[in-house]
């Protein structure tokens, strides 16, 4: 496209040369045509030589000389210009020329045609010898040409036509200033090139000068098969051989490229400089002043920069773009079924973009400050920064990968107003984009080296992290560690083999060798098992923590403990704010826990409880066991369907806890209630019923039955007793049987 622009200058340059030679010939008509001579002659020839070489020759089929006014008229004129160096063979011919010696004016009454031809062998051959081979012939035709000797202007208001091997064109009106060597094409300048890439060039006005060798086109417009170029002012600088050296476009530059499938690229700039190599091939374009790139179609791109330097291949495809001064490069992915629209924008001080042989982007690298802004639908922008970004593109020119290092950082605004941003830092990051036709946007962001993630309530550390915007999941590997801050100042720290954080919901997931510690706990005077300020620890194989409910779901060999208080189960749901839990087991892997009670000798002894389910609320100091309950202590064992154990306060409510106060031991049982198929076995006695109430203070057991079944107690020495209720004690042999039947209640006491 840019090379075609230079062809019009070559044509006009030769045209200018011919004008100089023609006017010179007209000015030096032979003396015998002087005014005082009136003569008509058939066949007229005149030539002028210098140092033995002919400069030009004029031949007319007929010459008429008029005494009145002294004017001379030549008909069927042929002028051959050889030039001072004998390196030209330009021919000028027309049917009717008129010369006025008084004014020095020469007027061509009819058509004037000019053939311009180089003659490189002219200096070595005989004088006036024509070229052996005519090549690169330039033909020019105009009408009504006039030349004024006083002003040095040659003017035509008619149509100027030119034709050369690779182009043809026209202009309306032309002015030659022979004194300053300036040619002006007045209007409607048109050039059509032919060849492999034909182009059409138009301009409202054109001015050509010999010193300096340049041409200025106003309102220039160039079109090719897929390209257009417009500028209000185009200055073309020529070499000595009339080939284009470079071009300067001012007062606005606009170039477009249209590809298949409706893709269109638009480039705007305030000013452009275009360097041209041999054969008028564009080499480099330098754009200044609010450079804008827009594309439409399947891939929507918008780019801006203060300056852009574009290098081109011999096939005229961009090979490299160097953009500087507040560079913005925005890529928009339209919404698709199941996928919301996504916008990605690169903002940097400078960027180098490299293209392949077909001009499609292949890679890019930034320099200076740089950031990536990502916006998904109406969500706030996510900003990615790094010291340097390296990008690669797919065959369609869409960004495929993006690598950033060092000091990589991802900042996502918190969706909740007035809360801190969500920030992730690392040594490096890699962004992978979806390139499938049915996908769009970013597929994943991978961070490596000292990864640190923070939000309003959480911090995460690892060696490696992978974030997927589609599900907002952050996957951590390489010694991951996550710290959650509770509303009460407590902290939850979890480590595992791998961890996942949902940056949208705040939920967390851990896999493999899970270890959680709840720190910075406050003493809870009204609590029991988990009431102290000691850390609460949990180990498991898996964890799923829901931020909304505050519940962490642990599975796989779960062990939860605070000080000597321990619960083991296949699965435990722990709510840290209320310090409550729900444990789930099975007959082969039951829930296990340990408490303290006073034995028959008044000493504290452990109480082991197992079941298939356990629910515990620390503020109620109540542990409920269900399904296959089994209790074992120094007093004996007990089985039941359900068991509620009520614990003594961890610290007296009357005394305020001191900061950092520690627990003194395992939780102690205050009382317990067992229901459903209760069976008690102690040394030398067994008992069974429907409900059992136990109080630790007096080691008292009260066993009751149902309306149809009475409780019973079996003593090895006295046999079995029945009643509506049976009361017995673990510290002595007292047994109290109560009944509402006609049989009175009996109390038996064995004397040692």
């Amino acid at each position: 496209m840019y090379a075609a622009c230079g062809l019009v200058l070559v044509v006009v340059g030769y045209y200018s040369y011919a004008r100089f030679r023609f006017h010179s010939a007209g000015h030096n008509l032979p003396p015998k045509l002087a005014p005082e001579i009136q003569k008509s002659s058939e066949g007229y020839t005149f030539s002028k030589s210098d140092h033995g070489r002919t400069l030009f020759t004029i031949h007319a089929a007929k010459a008429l000389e008029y005494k009145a006014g002294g004017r001379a008229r030549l008909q069927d004129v042929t002028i051959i210009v050889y030039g001072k160096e004998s390196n030209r063979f330009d021919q000028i011919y027309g049917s009717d020329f008129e010369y006025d010696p008084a004014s020095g004016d020469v007027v061509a009454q009819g058509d004037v045609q000019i053939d311009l031809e180089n003659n490189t062998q002219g200096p070595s051959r005989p004088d006036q010898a024509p070229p052996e081979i005519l090549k690169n012939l330039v033909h020019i035709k105009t009408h009504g040409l006039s030349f004024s000797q006083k002003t040095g202007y040659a003017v035509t208001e008619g149509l100027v036509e030119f034709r050369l091997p690779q182009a043809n064109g026209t202009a309306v009106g032309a002015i030659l200033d022979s004194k300053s060597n300036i040619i002006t094409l007045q209007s409607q300048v048109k050039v059509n090139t032919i060849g492999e890439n034909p182009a059409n060039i138009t301009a409202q006005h054109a001015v050509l000068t010999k010193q300096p060798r340049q041409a200025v086109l106003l309102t220039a417009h160039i079109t090719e098969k897929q390209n257009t170029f417009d500028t209000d002012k185009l200055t073309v600088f020529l070499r000595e051989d009339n080939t284009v050296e470079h071009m300067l476009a001012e007062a606005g530059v606009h170039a477009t490229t249209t590809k298949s499938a409706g893709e269109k690229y638009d480039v705007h700039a305030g000013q452009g400089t275009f360097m041209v190599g041999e054969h008028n091939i564009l080499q480099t374009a330098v754009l200044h002043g609010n450079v804008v790139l827009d594309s439409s179609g399947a891939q929507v791109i918008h780019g801006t920069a203060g300056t852009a330097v574009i290098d081109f291949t011999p096939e005229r495809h961009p090979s490299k773009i160097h953009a500087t001064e507040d560079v913005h490069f925005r890529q928009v992915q339209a919404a698709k079924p199941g996928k919301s629209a996504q916008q990605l924008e690169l903002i940097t001080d400078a960027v180098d973009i490299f293209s392949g042989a077909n001009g499609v982007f292949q890679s890019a690298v930034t320099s200076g400050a740089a950031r990536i802004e990502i916006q998904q639908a109406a969500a706030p922008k996510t900003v990615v920064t790094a010291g340097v970004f390296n990008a690669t593109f797919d065959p369609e020119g869409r960004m495929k990968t993006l690598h950033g290092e060092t000091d990589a950082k991802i900042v996502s605004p918190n969706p909740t107003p007035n809360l801190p941003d969500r920030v992730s830092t690392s040594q490096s990051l890699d962004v992978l984009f979806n390139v499938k036709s049915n996908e769009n946007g970013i597929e994943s962001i991978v961070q490596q080296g000292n990864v640190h993630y923070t939000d309003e309530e959480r911090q995460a550390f690892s060696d490696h992290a992978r974030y997927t915007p589609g599900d907002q999941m952050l996957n951590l590997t390489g010694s991951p560690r996550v710290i959650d801050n509770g509303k009460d100042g407590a902290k939850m720290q979890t480590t595992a083999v791998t961890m996942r954080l949902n940056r949208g919901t705040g939920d967390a997931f851990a896999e493999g060798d899970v270890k959680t510690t709840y720190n910075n706990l406050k003493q809870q005077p009204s609590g029991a098992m988990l009431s102290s300020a000691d850390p609460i620890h949990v180990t498991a194989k898996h964890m799923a923590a829901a931020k909304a409910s505050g519940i962490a779901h642990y599975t796989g060999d779960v062990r939860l403990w605070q000080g000597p208080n321990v619960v083991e189960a296949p699965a435990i749901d722990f709510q840290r704010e209320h310090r409550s839990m729900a444990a789930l087991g099975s007959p082969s892997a039951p829930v296990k826990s340990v408490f303290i009670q006073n034995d028959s000798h008044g000493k504290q002894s452990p109480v082991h409880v197992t079941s298939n389910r356990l629910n515990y609320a620390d503020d109620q100091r109540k542990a409920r066991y269900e399904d296959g309950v089994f209790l074992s202590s120094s007093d004996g064992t007990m089985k039941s369907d359900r068991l509620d154990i009520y614990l003594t306060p961890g610290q007296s409510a009357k005394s305020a806890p001191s900061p950092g106060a520690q627990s003194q031991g395992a939780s102690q049982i205050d009382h317990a209630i067992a229901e459903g198929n209760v069976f008690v076995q102690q040394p030398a006695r067994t008992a069974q019923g429907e409900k059992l109430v136990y109080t630790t203070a007096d080691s008292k057991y009260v066993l009751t039955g149902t309306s149809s079944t009475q409780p019973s107690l079996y003593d090895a020495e006295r046999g079995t007793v029945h009643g509506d209720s049976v009361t017995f004690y673990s510290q002595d042999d007292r047994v109290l049987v109560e009944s509402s039947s006609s049989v009175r209640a009996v109390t038996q006491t064995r004397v040692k």
Side-chain angles (χ1 to χ4, degrees):
M1 176 171 63
Y2 306 102
C5 184
L7 292 177
V8 67
L9 308 176
V10 177
V11 173
V12 178
Y14 283 130
Y15 177 72
S16 171
Y17 178 85
R19 290 292 176 269
F20 292 136
R21 296 296 180 267
F22 172 73
H23 298 147
S24 176
H27 182 61
N28 292 279
L29 288 174
K32 66 179 180 178
L33 295 179
E36 65 273 14
I37 300 174
Q38 179 175 341
K39 184 179 179 181
S40 173
S41 61
E42 298 295 332
Y44 170 80
T45 301
F46 174 76
S47 64
K48 183 175 182 180
S49 301
D50 184 22
H51 295 88
R53 304 290 291 191
T54 304
L55 299 178
F56 63 84
T57 63
I58 301 176
H59 176 76
K62 186 176 183 178
L64 300 175
E65 302 175 38
Y66 298 97
K67 186 173 182 180
R71 293 179 292 110
R73 186 175 183 182
L74 302 178
Q75 295 178 337
D76 298 329
V77 178
T78 300
I79 303 173
I80 301 177
V81 180
Y82 304 98
K84 291 184 178 181
E85 306 297 332
S86 299
N87 59 355
R88 304 294 308 170
F89 195 79
D90 299 333
Q91 302 178 67
I92 305 171
Y93 44 94
S95 59
D96 197 353
F97 288 84
E98 185 175 281
Y99 171 62
D100 185 352
S103 63
D105 294 345
V106 177
V107 178
Q109 299 294 340
D111 292 338
V112 176
Q113 300 192 54
I114 306 169
D115 290 331
L116 307 178
E117 176 67 31
N118 282 321
N119 188 12
T120 57
Q121 297 179 340
S124 62
R125 301 188 67 203
D127 185 34
Q128 302 187 31
E132 292 182 355
I133 301 176
L134 295 176
K135 58 182 180 179
N136 299 323
L137 182 67
V138 177
H139 180 75
I140 300 173
K141 179 181 178 180
T142 186
H143 183 84
L145 180 69
S146 64
F147 173 75
S148 172
Q149 181 181 358
K150 293 180 180 179
T151 63
Y153 279 28
V155 178
T156 178
E157 296 181 355
L159 182 68
V160 178
E161 302 177 48
F162 47 86
R163 183 177 69 253
L164 66 163
Q166 294 182 346
N168 59 75
T170 62
V172 176
I175 300 175
L176 164 67
D177 184 349
S178 61
K179 294 181 179 179
S180 58
N181 293 334
I182 298 175
I183 295 177
T184 301
L185 301 180
Q186 294 286 66
S187 65
Q188 302 182 38
V189 181
K190 298 179 181 179
V191 179
N192 299 315
T193 70
I194 59 178
E196 184 178 352
N197 295 291
N200 298 320
I201 305 169
T202 63
Q204 286 186 354
H205 189 76
V207 178
L208 300 94
T209 61
K210 191 173 183 180
Q211 293 296 330
R213 299 181 69 84
Q214 67 180 39
V216 179
L217 307 179
L218 300 183
T219 316
H221 175 73
I222 304 173
T223 60
E224 288 182 320
K225 183 178 181 181
Q226 294 180 318
N227 306 312
T228 66
F229 178 85
D230 292 273
T231 180
D232 290 342
K233 182 180 180 181
L234 179 66
T235 303
V236 183
F237 300 86
L238 301 173
R239 302 183 181 93
E240 289 298 325
D241 61 355
N242 287 322
T243 59
V244 180
E245 180 182 71
H246 70 280
M247 298 182 291
L248 174 63
E250 303 174 89
V253 176
H254 179 206
T256 66
T257 298
T258 303
K259 294 186 176 182
S260 59
E263 282 190 57
K264 183 179 180 181
Y265 293 86
D266 276 275
V267 177
H268 293 264
Q271 178 178 309
T273 301
F274 307 90
M275 307 305 296
V276 181
E278 295 182 358
H279 309 295
N280 292 322
I281 295 177
L282 180 66
Q283 293 180 327
T284 304
V286 182
L287 305 178
H288 299 281
N290 192 27
V291 182
V292 179
L293 165 67
D294 283 296
S295 75
S296 58
Q299 184 60 46
V300 179
I301 295 174
H302 177 75
T304 61
T307 299
V309 180
I310 307 172
D311 295 331
F312 292 88
T313 66
E315 294 76 24
R316 306 184 306 164
H317 296 302
S319 61
K320 177 184 176 182
I321 300 175
H322 177 69
T324 59
E325 302 173 24
D326 192 26
V327 180
H328 288 245
F329 185 84
R330 185 170 69 238
Q331 207 168 39
V332 179
Q333 296 283 357
K336 296 179 180 179
K339 299 286 184 179
S340 59
Q342 186 183 82
Q343 175 178 293
L344 179 134
E345 184 169 6
L346 168 65
I347 303 170
T348 180
D349 291 341
V351 64
D352 290 303
I353 303 176
F354 302 91
S355 301
N358 58 354
V360 177
F361 295 156
Q362 284 189 333
S363 62
V365 58
T366 66
S367 56
R371 69 182 187 273
I372 306 290
E373 294 185 353
I374 305 166
Q375 187 161 25
Q376 190 86 22
K381 291 181 180 178
T382 295
V383 179
V384 182
T385 58
V388 176
F389 284 109
N390 288 274
T392 63
F393 299 84
D394 69 2
E396 301 298 324
R398 298 175 299 180
M399 196 174 292
K400 181 172 65 175
T401 65
L402 181 69
H403 175 77
E405 64 178 32
T406 55
D407 301 324
K409 186 177 184 180
I410 303 175
V411 179
S412 300
N414 199 304
T416 304
N418 303 320
L419 289 180
D421 293 336
R422 297 170 177 175
V423 181
S424 182
T425 60
S426 61
Q427 293 179 358
S428 67
L429 63 83
D430 290 276
V431 181
L432 180 63
F433 296 86
N434 287 311
V435 294
K436 298 179 181 178
S437 59
N438 60 340
E439 299 287 343
N440 64 2
I442 293 177
E443 179 183 293
S444 63
I445 300 177
V446 176
Q447 293 183 268
Q448 302 204 57
N450 299 324
V451 179
H452 181 201
Y453 168 76
T454 61
D455 60 24
E456 69 275 14
E457 294 181 357
R458 174 177 290 161
Q459 292 190 73
F461 305 86
S462 69
D463 296 330
H464 181 276
R466 182 175 183 267
Y467 175 63
T468 49
D471 56 8
Q472 301 191 60
M473 197 66 71
L474 180 65
N475 295 268
L476 305 173
T477 57
S479 304
R481 176 168 57 98
V482 176
I483 300 175
D484 287 275
N485 300 315
K487 297 179 181 179
D488 56 355
K491 294 181 180 294
M492 171 187 174
Q493 177 173 293
T494 303
T495 62
V497 176
T498 62
M499 294 194 68
R500 293 178 297 135
L501 305 179
N502 190 308
R503 292 176 58 170
T505 63
D507 297 343
F509 308 87
E511 300 290 334
D513 196 19
V514 180
K515 297 177 182 178
T516 300
T517 300
Y518 297 87
N519 290 308
N520 292 359
L521 302 177
K522 295 180 181 179
Q523 189 86 14
Q524 294 192 153
S526 60
M529 188 190 303
L530 304 174
S531 65
S532 78
D534 289 348
I536 297 175
H537 304 277
V538 185
T539 60
K541 293 181 179 179
H542 318 281
M543 183 204 75
K547 181 180 178 181
S549 63
I551 296 176
H553 177 65
Y554 296 91
T555 57
D557 300 331
V558 185
R559 189 172 189 267
L560 183 150
W561 75 95
Q562 183 185 52
N565 295 301
V566 180
V567 176
E568 295 177 327
I572 294 179
D573 289 344
F574 179 68
Q575 213 285 342
R576 66 179 181 179
E577 184 177 352
H578 300 289
R579 302 193 194 183
S580 61
M581 76 177 84
L584 182 65
S586 66
S588 60
V591 179
K592 301 177 182 179
S593 57
V594 180
F595 303 103
I596 294 295
Q597 72 170 6
N598 293 327
D599 61 13
S600 58
H601 303 287
K603 295 182 179 181
Q604 291 186 346
S605 62
V607 177
H608 298 271
V609 183
T610 63
S611 70
N612 292 335
R613 290 192 299 275
L614 164 64
N615 285 278
Y616 175 76
D618 201 59
D619 54 356
Q620 301 176 12
R621 302 193 304 276
K622 174 185 175 182
R624 161 158 280 204
Y625 297 87
E626 296 179 289
D627 192 12
V629 180
F630 181 79
L631 181 148
S632 175
S633 68
S634 59
D635 291 338
T637 62
M638 183 202 71
K639 296 179 181 179
S640 64
D641 295 336
R642 296 174 299 281
L643 173 63
D644 291 332
I645 296 180
Y646 296 87
L647 306 175
T648 60
Q651 181 175 333
S652 174
K654 296 180 181 180
S655 60
S658 59
Q662 302 296 308
S663 64
Q664 300 300 316
S667 298
Q668 297 187 25
I669 299 175
D670 180 80
H671 66 283
I673 301 174
E675 295 180 300
N677 300 314
V678 178
F679 179 81
V680 179
Q681 184 169 3
Q682 294 180 344
R685 72 167 62 136
T686 60
Q688 60 183 14
E690 188 62 27
K691 181 177 181 180
L692 175 67
V693 178
Y694 167 75
T695 55
T696 304
D698 51 7
S699 301
K700 178 181 177 182
Y701 297 83
V702 179
L703 184 64
T704 58
T706 64
S707 59
S708 60
T709 304
Q710 290 182 325
S712 64
L713 183 144
Y714 170 77
D715 187 290
E717 294 184 3
R718 296 176 175 79
T720 302
V721 295
H722 298 272
D724 289 340
S725 68
V726 177
T727 303
F728 55 95
Y729 299 84
S730 61
Q731 295 182 359
D732 54 38
D733 293 333
R734 288 181 298 159
V735 175
L736 175 63
V737 180
E738 296 182 353
S739 177
S740 60
S741 64
S742 58
V743 180
R744 62 181 182 175
V746 177
T747 301
Q748 296 178 333
T749 302
R750 186 179 64 178
V751 180
K752 294 182 182 180

